């Protein structure tokens, strides 16, 4: 059981480090080359959707093992609840990153669409060509909208499908422009697209600046999370330390008090970071 606990905790720590390292690599790539093709961050296999909630299942095995090691109703229930809340928090963090990367690709799509539409003012033909070099899931969303138009001959139905699938505020603005192409002059549509491209480029610059400013804080938060996991694991694996918290209700409440302070501190820092990123979006 001790070996399994060490393996599970090492997996969580490596996941946290990898997630931070991946964020840093994407940021460095975007900073070096503003015009590079940005891949939409897909939701990984360990994000599970249950009802209206998302869970990152990676923290759950460690929470279950720690709950078993302490084996007291109060501490075990507390650890499991923290594990579930952590899994929801990590899933939400990945979803925010996925939405941000999709916005960057929407920028590329709109720029491509604008250039094609100037030459050939056919909305769905230009859409189909504009996403030819863009990755899924955005490419899939646009292609499904194009197919819906050719099957139903309904522009509104096709664009509503695109809006529903993407769930992105900049895509909503793009669809709003496309809905008015039938009644507006071509130069008016192009001007509206120019304004949207300007807003998207401003977003891209602001997003990059925000990520650079928060990179150090994000890395420090990952280290704090990893250290917290290590400390709790040491307490759980050393019998004398574990029993000191298990043997009395006061010891259990003491453990929960300081663990809650640590969890809330990390959560507060991450929520502030997340809020800043969501404001940029």
């Amino acid at each position: 059981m001790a070996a399994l606990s060490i393996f599970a905790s090492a997996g969580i720590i490596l996941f946290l480090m990898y997630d931070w390292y991946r964020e840093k690599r994407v940021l460095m790539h975007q900073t070096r080359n503003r015009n590079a093709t940005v891949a939409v961050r897909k939701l990984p296999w360990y994000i599970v959707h249950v009802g209206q909630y998302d869970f990152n299942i990676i923290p759950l095995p460690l929470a279950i093992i720690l709950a078993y090691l302490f084996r007291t109703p109060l501490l075990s229930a507390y650890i499991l609840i923290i594990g579930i809340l952590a899994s929801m928090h990590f899933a939400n963090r990945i979803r925010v990153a996925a939405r941000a990367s999709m916005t960057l690709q929407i920028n590329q799509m709109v720029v491509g669409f604008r250039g094609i539409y100037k030459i050939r003012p056919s909305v769905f033909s230009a859409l189909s060509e504009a996403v030819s070099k863009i990755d899924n899931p955005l490419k899939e969303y646009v292609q499904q909208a194009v197919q819906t138009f050719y099957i139903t001959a309904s522009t509104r139905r096709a664009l509503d499908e695109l809006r529903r699938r993407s769930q992105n505020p900049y895509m909503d603005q793009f669809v709003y422009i496309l809905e008015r192409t039938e009644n507006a002059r071509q130069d008016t549509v192009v001007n509206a697209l120019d304004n949207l491209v300007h807003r998207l480029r401003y977003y891209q610059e602001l997003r990059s600046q925000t990520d650079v400013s928060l990179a150090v804080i994000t890395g420090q938060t990952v280290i704090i999370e990893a250290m917290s996991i290590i400390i709790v694991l040491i307490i759980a694996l050393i019998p004398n330390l574990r029993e000191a918290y298990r043997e009395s209700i006061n010891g259990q409440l003491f453990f929960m008090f300081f663990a809650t302070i640590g969890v809330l501190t990390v959560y507060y820092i991450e929520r502030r970071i997340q809020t800043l990123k969501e404001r940029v979006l």
Side-chain angles (χ1 to χ4, degrees), residues 134-251:
I134 293 179
D135 294 332
N136 290 325
L138 182 59
K139 181 177 182 179
E140 179 183 352
Y141 297 161
V142 174
Q143 288 177 339
Q144 288 176 347
V146 172
Q147 291 176 3
T148 299
F149 171 75
Y150 287 133
I151 293 173
T152 64
S154 172
T155 300
R156 177 173 295 276
R157 184 171 176 180
L159 295 179
D160 285 344
E161 179 75 8
L162 180 57
R163 181 189 289 112
R164 181 184 65 83
R165 287 181 174 274
S166 61
Q167 296 183 354
N168 183 285
Y170 290 101
M171 180 63 81
D172 292 344
Q173 297 176 41
F174 181 56
V175 169
Y176 179 84
I177 296 172
L178 298 185
E179 288 174 339
R180 281 145 185 81
T181 54
E182 295 180 354
N183 301 320
R185 296 186 307 177
Q186 182 180 0
D187 59 339
T188 302
V189 174
V190 171
N191 288 335
L193 291 171
D194 288 338
N195 291 331
L196 178 57
V197 169
H198 176 74
R199 290 193 296 273
L200 283 164
R201 286 176 176 170
Y202 177 74
Y203 158 82
Q204 187 172 355
E205 291 294 329
L206 187 59
R207 177 77 188 191
S208 296
Q209 293 173 10
T210 302
D211 287 340
V212 169
S213 301
L214 297 175
V216 175
I217 299 176
T218 302
Q220 292 174 346
T221 304
V222 171
I223 294 174
I224 292 173
E225 291 171 348
M227 292 300 298
S228 301
I229 293 172
I230 292 173
I231 291 171
V232 173
L233 182 66
I234 290 173
I235 294 174
L237 291 178
I238 299 177
N240 291 337
L241 291 176
R242 185 172 67 243
E243 291 303 321
Y245 293 103
R246 289 186 55 201
E247 64 185 8
S248 67
I249 188 66
N250 289 335

Side-chain angles (χ1 to χ4, degrees), residues 53-69:
Y53 301 105
D54 296 315
F55 296 90
N56 182 338
I57 62 176
I58 288 182
L60 295 179
L62 179 60
I64 293 172
I65 292 172
L66 289 174
Y68 173 78
L69 288 173

Side-chain angles (χ1 to χ4, degrees), residues 15-16 18-19 22 41-49 54-60 87 90-91 94:
F15 167 75
L16 292 172
Y18 168 74
D19 187 57
R22 181 176 57 177
R41 176 169 297 184
K42 303 174 185 177
L43 295 178
W45 61 268
Y46 47 81
I47 301 298
V48 178
H49 189 70
D54 296 315
F55 296 90
N56 182 338
I57 62 176
I58 288 182
L60 295 179
S87 69
F90 288 139
I94 292 175

